[in-house]
Each structure stands twice: as C-alpha cells, then as structure tokens.
Amino acid sequence: MESFEPSPATGTEPLPGTTEATGRRQVRCRLCGRPLTGTASRRTGLGPACDAKLHPAPPDIRTRRHEVAQDPLPGT
C-alpha cells in the first residue's frame, strides 16, 4: 500500500487561510467578487448585498394604504 506522508516539496503543514487548512474552497460573489462565507450565499453564489440588488423584496401589502374617494353614507 502507498503511504500518505506529505512530500518535502509541499511542506508538512498547510498555510493558514488556505483551502487545505480550512477544508473549504473559497467561493466568491458572482457580481462583486468578494469572498462568500454564509452557507446560503455560497449556495447561490451571491452575497447578501448583491442578492438584494438583483432580487428586491416585494412591497409589504399590510403597510400600504390607499386613499379612496367615497360618497357620504345616506342619512348621516
């Protein structure tokens, strides 16, 4: 069987902050290129700010008010 010892050319320990040290590959935002850290952001490929730019939240219907011109009620 082969042994899995690190080769002397690559060093014995991975450098801090590299993918070998953290075990996760670095994913960057598709729009601005910043590194993504959140699970949902990594899954979609967009950071929260860029995702909000591309997919704005719908307006809240409960807070929207409509002024309607109405005739007065008869007898009042």
Short mmCIF file of all heavy atoms in Angstrom, two decimals:
data_model
loop_
_atom_site.label_atom_id
_atom_site.label_comp_id
_atom_site.label_asym_id
_atom_site.label_seq_id
_atom_site.Cartn_x
_atom_site.Cartn_y
_atom_site.Cartn_z
N MET A 1 0.82 -1.18 0.00
CA MET A 1 0.00 0.00 0.00
C MET A 1 0.87 1.24 0.00
O MET A 1 1.97 1.24 0.50
CB MET A 1 -0.87 0.03 1.26
CG MET A 1 -2.20 -0.64 1.05
SD MET A 1 -3.31 -0.37 2.40
CE MET A 1 -4.33 0.84 1.69
N GLU A 2 0.29 2.32 -0.53
CA GLU A 2 1.02 3.58 -0.55
C GLU A 2 0.88 4.29 0.79
O GLU A 2 -0.13 4.20 1.44
CB GLU A 2 0.46 4.51 -1.63
CG GLU A 2 0.64 3.98 -3.03
CD GLU A 2 0.06 4.96 -4.02
OE1 GLU A 2 0.16 6.17 -3.77
OE2 GLU A 2 -0.48 4.51 -5.02
N SER A 3 1.93 5.00 1.17
CA SER A 3 1.83 5.79 2.39
C SER A 3 1.39 7.20 2.00
O SER A 3 1.69 7.70 0.93
CB SER A 3 3.17 5.82 3.11
OG SER A 3 4.11 6.50 2.32
N PHE A 4 0.67 7.86 2.90
CA PHE A 4 0.16 9.18 2.63
C PHE A 4 0.93 10.23 3.41
O PHE A 4 0.37 11.10 4.05
CB PHE A 4 -1.33 9.25 3.00
CG PHE A 4 -2.17 8.41 2.10
CD1 PHE A 4 -2.67 7.20 2.55
CD2 PHE A 4 -2.44 8.80 0.81
CE1 PHE A 4 -3.44 6.42 1.73
CE2 PHE A 4 -3.22 8.03 -0.01
CZ PHE A 4 -3.72 6.82 0.45
N GLU A 5 2.23 10.19 3.35
CA GLU A 5 3.06 11.17 4.03
C GLU A 5 3.22 12.39 3.13
O GLU A 5 3.29 12.27 1.92
CB GLU A 5 4.44 10.58 4.33
CG GLU A 5 4.39 9.43 5.33
CD GLU A 5 5.76 8.83 5.55
OE1 GLU A 5 6.75 9.46 5.13
OE2 GLU A 5 5.82 7.75 6.13
N PRO A 6 3.24 13.59 3.72
CA PRO A 6 3.42 14.79 2.89
C PRO A 6 4.80 14.80 2.27
O PRO A 6 5.77 14.38 2.88
CB PRO A 6 3.23 15.95 3.86
CG PRO A 6 3.45 15.37 5.22
CD PRO A 6 3.10 13.91 5.13
N SER A 7 4.87 15.28 1.05
CA SER A 7 6.16 15.35 0.38
C SER A 7 6.94 16.55 0.90
O SER A 7 6.36 17.55 1.29
CB SER A 7 5.97 15.47 -1.14
OG SER A 7 5.35 16.70 -1.43
N PRO A 8 8.26 16.47 0.93
CA PRO A 8 9.05 17.59 1.43
C PRO A 8 8.93 18.84 0.56
O PRO A 8 9.15 19.95 1.02
CB PRO A 8 10.48 17.07 1.43
CG PRO A 8 10.46 15.73 0.82
CD PRO A 8 9.06 15.33 0.59
N ALA A 9 8.55 18.70 -0.70
CA ALA A 9 8.45 19.86 -1.59
C ALA A 9 7.25 20.73 -1.23
O ALA A 9 7.28 21.94 -1.38
CB ALA A 9 8.34 19.41 -3.04
N THR A 10 6.17 20.11 -0.73
CA THR A 10 4.97 20.90 -0.42
C THR A 10 4.96 21.37 1.01
O THR A 10 4.14 22.20 1.38
CB THR A 10 3.71 20.06 -0.67
OG1 THR A 10 3.75 18.90 0.15
CG2 THR A 10 3.59 19.68 -2.13
N GLY A 11 5.81 20.87 1.87
CA GLY A 11 5.82 21.28 3.27
C GLY A 11 5.04 20.29 4.12
O GLY A 11 4.34 19.41 3.61
N THR A 12 5.15 20.43 5.41
CA THR A 12 4.47 19.48 6.29
C THR A 12 3.10 19.96 6.73
O THR A 12 2.23 19.17 6.99
CB THR A 12 5.34 19.22 7.53
OG1 THR A 12 5.61 20.46 8.17
CG2 THR A 12 6.63 18.55 7.15
N GLU A 13 2.91 21.28 6.84
CA GLU A 13 1.62 21.81 7.26
C GLU A 13 1.13 22.82 6.23
O GLU A 13 1.91 23.58 5.69
CB GLU A 13 1.74 22.51 8.61
CG GLU A 13 2.01 21.58 9.75
CD GLU A 13 1.98 22.32 11.08
OE1 GLU A 13 1.31 23.38 11.15
OE2 GLU A 13 2.62 21.86 12.01
N PRO A 14 -0.19 22.84 5.98
CA PRO A 14 -0.70 23.85 5.05
C PRO A 14 -0.66 25.23 5.68
O PRO A 14 -0.69 25.39 6.89
CB PRO A 14 -2.15 23.40 4.80
CG PRO A 14 -2.49 22.54 5.96
CD PRO A 14 -1.21 21.93 6.44
N LEU A 15 -0.57 26.23 4.84
CA LEU A 15 -0.53 27.61 5.31
C LEU A 15 -1.90 28.00 5.86
O LEU A 15 -2.92 27.57 5.35
CB LEU A 15 -0.14 28.55 4.18
CG LEU A 15 1.25 28.37 3.62
CD1 LEU A 15 1.45 29.24 2.39
CD2 LEU A 15 2.29 28.70 4.67
N PRO A 16 -1.94 28.80 6.93
CA PRO A 16 -3.23 29.24 7.47
C PRO A 16 -4.00 30.06 6.45
O PRO A 16 -3.44 30.88 5.74
CB PRO A 16 -2.86 30.10 8.68
CG PRO A 16 -1.41 29.91 8.91
CD PRO A 16 -0.82 29.30 7.69
N GLY A 17 -5.32 29.82 6.38
CA GLY A 17 -6.16 30.56 5.46
C GLY A 17 -6.28 29.94 4.09
O GLY A 17 -7.03 30.42 3.27
N THR A 18 -5.53 28.89 3.81
CA THR A 18 -5.63 28.24 2.51
C THR A 18 -6.73 27.19 2.56
O THR A 18 -7.22 26.81 3.62
CB THR A 18 -4.30 27.58 2.11
OG1 THR A 18 -3.97 26.60 3.10
CG2 THR A 18 -3.19 28.61 2.03
N THR A 19 -7.10 26.68 1.38
CA THR A 19 -8.17 25.69 1.32
C THR A 19 -7.76 24.38 1.98
O THR A 19 -8.59 23.68 2.53
CB THR A 19 -8.57 25.41 -0.14
OG1 THR A 19 -7.42 24.99 -0.86
CG2 THR A 19 -9.17 26.64 -0.78
N GLU A 20 -6.47 24.08 1.97
CA GLU A 20 -6.02 22.85 2.63
C GLU A 20 -6.16 22.96 4.14
O GLU A 20 -6.44 21.98 4.82
CB GLU A 20 -4.56 22.54 2.27
CG GLU A 20 -4.33 22.17 0.81
CD GLU A 20 -4.17 23.40 -0.07
OE1 GLU A 20 -3.92 24.50 0.46
OE2 GLU A 20 -4.33 23.26 -1.28
N ALA A 21 -5.97 24.16 4.69
CA ALA A 21 -6.05 24.35 6.13
C ALA A 21 -7.49 24.39 6.61
O ALA A 21 -7.83 23.83 7.65
CB ALA A 21 -5.34 25.64 6.54
N THR A 22 -8.38 25.05 5.87
CA THR A 22 -9.76 25.19 6.30
C THR A 22 -10.64 24.04 5.84
O THR A 22 -11.67 23.79 6.45
CB THR A 22 -10.36 26.52 5.78
OG1 THR A 22 -10.31 26.51 4.35
CG2 THR A 22 -9.63 27.70 6.34
N GLY A 23 -10.28 23.38 4.79
CA GLY A 23 -11.08 22.28 4.28
C GLY A 23 -12.21 22.73 3.38
O GLY A 23 -12.95 21.93 2.87
N ARG A 24 -12.38 24.04 3.18
CA ARG A 24 -13.42 24.55 2.32
C ARG A 24 -12.77 25.37 1.22
O ARG A 24 -11.84 26.12 1.46
CB ARG A 24 -14.36 25.47 3.09
CG ARG A 24 -15.13 24.76 4.16
CD ARG A 24 -15.92 25.71 5.01
NE ARG A 24 -16.97 26.35 4.24
CZ ARG A 24 -17.85 27.18 4.75
NH1 ARG A 24 -17.81 27.48 6.02
NH2 ARG A 24 -18.78 27.72 4.00
N ARG A 25 -13.30 25.24 0.01
CA ARG A 25 -12.76 26.05 -1.06
C ARG A 25 -13.40 27.43 -1.00
O ARG A 25 -14.51 27.59 -0.54
CB ARG A 25 -12.99 25.42 -2.42
CG ARG A 25 -14.42 25.32 -2.84
CD ARG A 25 -14.53 24.63 -4.20
NE ARG A 25 -15.90 24.57 -4.59
CZ ARG A 25 -16.52 25.49 -5.33
NH1 ARG A 25 -15.84 26.51 -5.79
NH2 ARG A 25 -17.78 25.37 -5.64
N GLN A 26 -12.67 28.42 -1.45
CA GLN A 26 -13.15 29.79 -1.37
C GLN A 26 -14.11 30.06 -2.52
O GLN A 26 -13.79 29.82 -3.68
CB GLN A 26 -11.99 30.77 -1.41
CG GLN A 26 -12.38 32.17 -1.12
CD GLN A 26 -11.18 33.09 -1.02
OE1 GLN A 26 -10.14 32.79 -1.59
NE2 GLN A 26 -11.32 34.18 -0.34
N VAL A 27 -15.30 30.53 -2.19
CA VAL A 27 -16.31 30.87 -3.19
C VAL A 27 -16.44 32.38 -3.19
O VAL A 27 -16.53 33.01 -2.14
CB VAL A 27 -17.66 30.21 -2.85
CG1 VAL A 27 -18.72 30.60 -3.87
CG2 VAL A 27 -17.51 28.70 -2.78
N ARG A 28 -16.47 32.96 -4.37
CA ARG A 28 -16.58 34.42 -4.50
C ARG A 28 -17.92 34.79 -5.12
O ARG A 28 -18.50 34.01 -5.88
CB ARG A 28 -15.44 34.96 -5.35
CG ARG A 28 -14.09 34.75 -4.70
CD ARG A 28 -13.02 35.60 -5.39
NE ARG A 28 -11.81 35.61 -4.63
CZ ARG A 28 -11.52 36.52 -3.70
NH1 ARG A 28 -12.35 37.48 -3.44
NH2 ARG A 28 -10.38 36.47 -3.05
N CYS A 29 -18.37 35.99 -4.79
CA CYS A 29 -19.64 36.50 -5.31
C CYS A 29 -19.52 36.65 -6.83
O CYS A 29 -18.52 37.15 -7.34
CB CYS A 29 -19.96 37.84 -4.66
SG CYS A 29 -21.48 38.61 -5.29
N ARG A 30 -20.56 36.23 -7.54
CA ARG A 30 -20.54 36.32 -9.00
C ARG A 30 -20.66 37.75 -9.49
O ARG A 30 -20.29 38.04 -10.62
CB ARG A 30 -21.69 35.51 -9.60
CG ARG A 30 -21.53 34.02 -9.40
CD ARG A 30 -22.66 33.27 -10.03
NE ARG A 30 -23.87 33.48 -9.23
CZ ARG A 30 -25.10 33.30 -9.69
NH1 ARG A 30 -25.30 32.91 -10.91
NH2 ARG A 30 -26.13 33.49 -8.90
N LEU A 31 -21.17 38.66 -8.64
CA LEU A 31 -21.38 40.03 -9.07
C LEU A 31 -20.21 40.93 -8.70
O LEU A 31 -19.67 41.65 -9.54
CB LEU A 31 -22.68 40.57 -8.46
CG LEU A 31 -23.28 41.81 -9.08
CD1 LEU A 31 -23.63 41.56 -10.54
CD2 LEU A 31 -24.53 42.21 -8.33
N CYS A 32 -19.79 40.91 -7.43
CA CYS A 32 -18.75 41.85 -6.99
C CYS A 32 -17.40 41.17 -6.73
O CYS A 32 -16.39 41.84 -6.63
CB CYS A 32 -19.19 42.58 -5.72
SG CYS A 32 -19.36 41.52 -4.28
N GLY A 33 -17.37 39.85 -6.59
CA GLY A 33 -16.10 39.14 -6.42
C GLY A 33 -15.62 39.00 -4.99
O GLY A 33 -14.55 38.48 -4.75
N ARG A 34 -16.41 39.47 -4.00
CA ARG A 34 -15.99 39.33 -2.60
C ARG A 34 -16.12 37.88 -2.16
O ARG A 34 -16.98 37.15 -2.65
CB ARG A 34 -16.85 40.21 -1.70
CG ARG A 34 -16.57 41.67 -1.87
CD ARG A 34 -17.31 42.43 -0.81
NE ARG A 34 -18.05 43.50 -1.45
CZ ARG A 34 -19.02 44.19 -0.91
NH1 ARG A 34 -19.42 43.94 0.29
NH2 ARG A 34 -19.61 45.15 -1.58
N PRO A 35 -15.31 37.45 -1.19
CA PRO A 35 -15.44 36.07 -0.69
C PRO A 35 -16.76 35.89 0.05
O PRO A 35 -17.20 36.77 0.78
CB PRO A 35 -14.26 35.92 0.28
CG PRO A 35 -13.39 37.09 0.08
CD PRO A 35 -14.17 38.14 -0.63
N LEU A 36 -17.38 34.73 -0.15
CA LEU A 36 -18.65 34.42 0.50
C LEU A 36 -18.40 33.49 1.67
O LEU A 36 -17.63 32.55 1.58
CB LEU A 36 -19.61 33.76 -0.49
CG LEU A 36 -19.96 34.58 -1.71
CD1 LEU A 36 -20.81 33.76 -2.66
CD2 LEU A 36 -20.67 35.85 -1.31
N THR A 37 -19.07 33.75 2.80
CA THR A 37 -18.88 32.94 3.99
C THR A 37 -20.14 32.22 4.41
O THR A 37 -20.08 31.13 4.95
CB THR A 37 -18.40 33.80 5.17
OG1 THR A 37 -19.34 34.85 5.39
CG2 THR A 37 -17.03 34.40 4.87
N GLY A 38 -21.30 32.78 4.19
CA GLY A 38 -22.56 32.16 4.62
C GLY A 38 -22.93 30.98 3.74
O GLY A 38 -22.61 30.93 2.55
N THR A 39 -23.61 30.01 4.33
CA THR A 39 -24.00 28.81 3.60
C THR A 39 -24.94 29.15 2.45
O THR A 39 -24.76 28.66 1.33
CB THR A 39 -24.67 27.81 4.55
OG1 THR A 39 -23.80 27.55 5.64
CG2 THR A 39 -24.97 26.50 3.85
N ALA A 40 -25.96 29.96 2.72
CA ALA A 40 -26.91 30.32 1.67
C ALA A 40 -26.23 31.13 0.57
O ALA A 40 -26.51 30.94 -0.61
CB ALA A 40 -28.07 31.11 2.27
N SER A 41 -25.34 32.03 0.96
CA SER A 41 -24.63 32.83 -0.03
C SER A 41 -23.72 31.95 -0.89
O SER A 41 -23.64 32.13 -2.10
CB SER A 41 -23.78 33.90 0.66
OG SER A 41 -24.59 34.80 1.35
N ARG A 42 -23.04 31.00 -0.26
CA ARG A 42 -22.17 30.10 -1.01
C ARG A 42 -22.99 29.24 -1.97
O ARG A 42 -22.56 28.94 -3.07
CB ARG A 42 -21.37 29.22 -0.06
CG ARG A 42 -20.33 29.98 0.74
CD ARG A 42 -19.72 29.13 1.83
NE ARG A 42 -19.04 27.96 1.33
CZ ARG A 42 -17.76 27.93 0.93
NH1 ARG A 42 -17.04 29.02 1.03
NH2 ARG A 42 -17.22 26.84 0.48
N ARG A 43 -24.18 28.87 -1.57
CA ARG A 43 -25.04 28.03 -2.41
C ARG A 43 -25.52 28.80 -3.63
O ARG A 43 -25.53 28.27 -4.74
CB ARG A 43 -26.23 27.52 -1.61
CG ARG A 43 -27.07 26.51 -2.34
CD ARG A 43 -28.24 26.01 -1.53
NE ARG A 43 -27.84 25.54 -0.21
CZ ARG A 43 -28.31 26.04 0.94
NH1 ARG A 43 -29.20 26.99 0.94
NH2 ARG A 43 -27.89 25.56 2.08
N THR A 44 -25.94 30.07 -3.44
CA THR A 44 -26.46 30.86 -4.56
C THR A 44 -25.37 31.52 -5.38
O THR A 44 -25.59 31.87 -6.53
CB THR A 44 -27.42 31.94 -4.05
OG1 THR A 44 -26.72 32.82 -3.18
CG2 THR A 44 -28.62 31.34 -3.35
N GLY A 45 -24.21 31.74 -4.77
CA GLY A 45 -23.12 32.40 -5.48
C GLY A 45 -23.21 33.91 -5.45
O GLY A 45 -22.49 34.58 -6.17
N LEU A 46 -24.11 34.45 -4.60
CA LEU A 46 -24.27 35.89 -4.47
C LEU A 46 -24.22 36.27 -3.00
O LEU A 46 -24.81 35.59 -2.16
CB LEU A 46 -25.61 36.36 -5.03
CG LEU A 46 -25.78 36.28 -6.54
CD1 LEU A 46 -27.23 36.55 -6.91
CD2 LEU A 46 -24.88 37.26 -7.23
N GLY A 47 -23.56 37.37 -2.70
CA GLY A 47 -23.56 37.89 -1.34
C GLY A 47 -24.90 38.52 -1.01
O GLY A 47 -25.72 38.76 -1.90
N PRO A 48 -25.16 38.81 0.27
CA PRO A 48 -26.46 39.37 0.65
C PRO A 48 -26.75 40.72 -0.01
O PRO A 48 -27.88 40.99 -0.42
CB PRO A 48 -26.40 39.49 2.17
CG PRO A 48 -25.05 39.06 2.59
CD PRO A 48 -24.30 38.58 1.41
N ALA A 49 -25.75 41.58 -0.12
CA ALA A 49 -25.98 42.90 -0.73
C ALA A 49 -26.26 42.76 -2.23
O ALA A 49 -27.18 43.41 -2.75
CB ALA A 49 -24.76 43.79 -0.51
N CYS A 50 -25.51 41.93 -2.92
CA CYS A 50 -25.72 41.75 -4.36
C CYS A 50 -27.03 41.01 -4.63
O CYS A 50 -27.72 41.30 -5.61
CB CYS A 50 -24.55 40.99 -4.97
SG CYS A 50 -23.01 41.93 -4.91
N ASP A 51 -27.40 40.09 -3.77
CA ASP A 51 -28.67 39.37 -3.93
C ASP A 51 -29.84 40.34 -3.76
O ASP A 51 -30.83 40.26 -4.49
CB ASP A 51 -28.76 38.24 -2.91
CG ASP A 51 -29.95 37.34 -3.17
OD1 ASP A 51 -30.25 37.08 -4.35
OD2 ASP A 51 -30.58 36.89 -2.19
N ALA A 52 -29.73 41.27 -2.82
CA ALA A 52 -30.79 42.26 -2.61
C ALA A 52 -30.89 43.21 -3.81
O ALA A 52 -31.98 43.67 -4.13
CB ALA A 52 -30.52 43.05 -1.34
N LYS A 53 -29.77 43.48 -4.47
CA LYS A 53 -29.81 44.33 -5.66
C LYS A 53 -30.53 43.64 -6.81
O LYS A 53 -31.28 44.25 -7.54
CB LYS A 53 -28.40 44.70 -6.11
CG LYS A 53 -27.68 45.66 -5.20
CD LYS A 53 -26.27 45.89 -5.70
CE LYS A 53 -25.45 46.64 -4.68
NZ LYS A 53 -24.05 46.75 -5.11
N LEU A 54 -30.27 42.35 -6.98
CA LEU A 54 -30.85 41.62 -8.09
C LEU A 54 -32.28 41.15 -7.82
O LEU A 54 -33.08 41.01 -8.73
CB LEU A 54 -29.99 40.40 -8.44
CG LEU A 54 -28.63 40.71 -9.03
CD1 LEU A 54 -27.84 39.43 -9.25
CD2 LEU A 54 -28.77 41.45 -10.33
N HIS A 55 -32.60 40.87 -6.57
CA HIS A 55 -33.92 40.36 -6.18
C HIS A 55 -34.48 41.19 -5.04
O HIS A 55 -34.45 40.76 -3.89
CB HIS A 55 -33.82 38.89 -5.75
CG HIS A 55 -33.17 38.01 -6.75
ND1 HIS A 55 -31.87 37.57 -6.63
CD2 HIS A 55 -33.62 37.51 -7.93
CE1 HIS A 55 -31.57 36.82 -7.67
NE2 HIS A 55 -32.61 36.78 -8.47
N PRO A 56 -35.00 42.39 -5.34
CA PRO A 56 -35.53 43.23 -4.25
C PRO A 56 -36.75 42.59 -3.61
O PRO A 56 -37.49 41.84 -4.25
CB PRO A 56 -35.88 44.54 -4.95
CG PRO A 56 -35.99 44.21 -6.38
CD PRO A 56 -35.13 43.01 -6.63
N ALA A 57 -36.95 42.89 -2.34
CA ALA A 57 -38.09 42.34 -1.60
C ALA A 57 -39.38 42.94 -2.14
O ALA A 57 -39.44 44.12 -2.49
CB ALA A 57 -37.94 42.64 -0.12
N PRO A 58 -40.44 42.13 -2.20
CA PRO A 58 -41.71 42.69 -2.66
C PRO A 58 -42.27 43.66 -1.64
O PRO A 58 -41.96 43.57 -0.45
CB PRO A 58 -42.60 41.45 -2.79
CG PRO A 58 -42.00 40.44 -1.90
CD PRO A 58 -40.53 40.72 -1.88
N PRO A 59 -43.13 44.60 -2.06
CA PRO A 59 -43.68 45.55 -1.11
C PRO A 59 -44.60 44.85 -0.12
O PRO A 59 -45.27 43.87 -0.45
CB PRO A 59 -44.46 46.53 -1.99
CG PRO A 59 -44.73 45.79 -3.25
CD PRO A 59 -43.60 44.82 -3.41
N ASP A 60 -44.63 45.37 1.09
CA ASP A 60 -45.47 44.79 2.13
C ASP A 60 -46.89 45.31 1.95
O ASP A 60 -47.14 46.52 2.07
CB ASP A 60 -44.91 45.15 3.51
CG ASP A 60 -45.61 44.39 4.61
OD1 ASP A 60 -46.38 43.46 4.30
OD2 ASP A 60 -45.37 44.72 5.79
N ILE A 61 -47.83 44.45 1.67
CA ILE A 61 -49.20 44.84 1.40
C ILE A 61 -49.87 45.38 2.65
O ILE A 61 -50.72 46.27 2.59
CB ILE A 61 -49.98 43.65 0.82
CG1 ILE A 61 -49.39 43.26 -0.53
CG2 ILE A 61 -51.46 43.98 0.66
CD1 ILE A 61 -49.97 42.00 -1.11
N ARG A 62 -49.51 44.87 3.82
CA ARG A 62 -50.17 45.29 5.05
C ARG A 62 -49.91 46.74 5.40
O ARG A 62 -50.74 47.40 6.02
CB ARG A 62 -49.72 44.41 6.21
CG ARG A 62 -50.17 42.96 6.03
CD ARG A 62 -49.57 42.11 7.10
NE ARG A 62 -48.12 42.04 6.81
CZ ARG A 62 -47.26 41.42 7.56
NH1 ARG A 62 -47.62 40.85 8.67
NH2 ARG A 62 -45.99 41.36 7.23
N THR A 63 -48.78 47.30 5.01
CA THR A 63 -48.46 48.68 5.36
C THR A 63 -48.85 49.66 4.27
O THR A 63 -48.83 50.86 4.49
CB THR A 63 -46.96 48.83 5.64
OG1 THR A 63 -46.23 48.45 4.48
CG2 THR A 63 -46.54 47.98 6.82
N ARG A 64 -49.21 49.18 3.11
CA ARG A 64 -49.59 50.06 2.01
C ARG A 64 -51.02 50.56 2.22
O ARG A 64 -51.93 49.78 2.48
CB ARG A 64 -49.46 49.31 0.69
CG ARG A 64 -49.60 50.17 -0.52
CD ARG A 64 -49.28 49.42 -1.78
NE ARG A 64 -49.92 48.11 -1.78
CZ ARG A 64 -49.74 47.22 -2.73
NH1 ARG A 64 -48.94 47.49 -3.73
NH2 ARG A 64 -50.32 46.06 -2.69
N ARG A 65 -51.23 51.85 2.12
CA ARG A 65 -52.55 52.46 2.32
C ARG A 65 -53.05 53.07 1.01
O ARG A 65 -52.27 53.65 0.26
CB ARG A 65 -52.50 53.55 3.38
CG ARG A 65 -51.98 53.11 4.71
CD ARG A 65 -53.03 52.38 5.44
NE ARG A 65 -52.48 51.94 6.74
CZ ARG A 65 -53.16 51.25 7.59
NH1 ARG A 65 -54.38 50.93 7.34
NH2 ARG A 65 -52.61 50.86 8.71
N HIS A 66 -54.33 52.92 0.78
CA HIS A 66 -54.94 53.51 -0.41
C HIS A 66 -56.01 54.49 0.04
O HIS A 66 -56.89 54.15 0.81
CB HIS A 66 -55.60 52.44 -1.29
CG HIS A 66 -54.63 51.46 -1.87
ND1 HIS A 66 -53.78 51.78 -2.89
CD2 HIS A 66 -54.36 50.18 -1.56
CE1 HIS A 66 -53.04 50.74 -3.19
NE2 HIS A 66 -53.37 49.75 -2.39
N GLU A 67 -55.93 55.69 -0.45
CA GLU A 67 -56.97 56.68 -0.19
C GLU A 67 -58.00 56.57 -1.30
O GLU A 67 -57.67 56.66 -2.48
CB GLU A 67 -56.37 58.09 -0.14
CG GLU A 67 -55.40 58.31 0.99
CD GLU A 67 -56.08 58.20 2.35
OE1 GLU A 67 -57.25 58.59 2.48
OE2 GLU A 67 -55.40 57.73 3.29
N VAL A 68 -59.23 56.35 -0.91
CA VAL A 68 -60.30 56.16 -1.88
C VAL A 68 -61.34 57.24 -1.64
O VAL A 68 -61.79 57.45 -0.51
CB VAL A 68 -60.93 54.75 -1.73
CG1 VAL A 68 -62.06 54.57 -2.74
CG2 VAL A 68 -59.88 53.69 -1.90
N ALA A 69 -61.73 57.91 -2.71
CA ALA A 69 -62.79 58.93 -2.60
C ALA A 69 -64.13 58.20 -2.53
O ALA A 69 -64.49 57.43 -3.42
CB ALA A 69 -62.75 59.86 -3.79
N GLN A 70 -64.87 58.45 -1.44
CA GLN A 70 -66.17 57.80 -1.26
C GLN A 70 -67.26 58.83 -1.07
O GLN A 70 -67.02 59.91 -0.51
CB GLN A 70 -66.14 56.88 -0.04
CG GLN A 70 -65.20 55.72 -0.16
CD GLN A 70 -65.23 54.83 1.07
OE1 GLN A 70 -65.74 55.21 2.10
NE2 GLN A 70 -64.71 53.63 0.94
N ASP A 71 -68.43 58.49 -1.52
CA ASP A 71 -69.59 59.32 -1.27
C ASP A 71 -70.01 59.16 0.18
O ASP A 71 -69.85 58.09 0.78
CB ASP A 71 -70.75 58.92 -2.18
CG ASP A 71 -70.45 59.21 -3.65
OD1 ASP A 71 -69.66 60.15 -3.90
OD2 ASP A 71 -70.98 58.49 -4.52
N PRO A 72 -70.57 60.22 0.80
CA PRO A 72 -71.03 60.07 2.18
C PRO A 72 -72.20 59.08 2.25
O PRO A 72 -72.98 58.95 1.32
CB PRO A 72 -71.46 61.47 2.57
CG PRO A 72 -71.56 62.25 1.33
CD PRO A 72 -70.75 61.55 0.29
N LEU A 73 -72.31 58.41 3.36
CA LEU A 73 -73.38 57.46 3.55
C LEU A 73 -74.71 58.21 3.67
O LEU A 73 -74.77 59.28 4.29
CB LEU A 73 -73.15 56.61 4.80
CG LEU A 73 -71.96 55.68 4.74
CD1 LEU A 73 -71.73 55.03 6.10
CD2 LEU A 73 -72.16 54.62 3.69
N PRO A 74 -75.78 57.68 3.09
CA PRO A 74 -77.07 58.35 3.19
C PRO A 74 -77.56 58.34 4.65
O PRO A 74 -77.37 57.37 5.37
CB PRO A 74 -78.00 57.54 2.30
CG PRO A 74 -77.27 56.33 1.89
CD PRO A 74 -75.84 56.50 2.26
N GLY A 75 -78.18 59.43 5.06
CA GLY A 75 -78.74 59.52 6.41
C GLY A 75 -77.76 59.99 7.44
O GLY A 75 -78.06 60.02 8.63
N THR A 76 -76.55 60.35 7.08
CA THR A 76 -75.59 60.84 8.08
C THR A 76 -75.41 62.31 7.98
O THR A 76 -75.58 62.98 7.05
CB THR A 76 -74.22 60.16 7.93
OG1 THR A 76 -73.74 60.35 6.62
CG2 THR A 76 -74.32 58.72 8.28
#
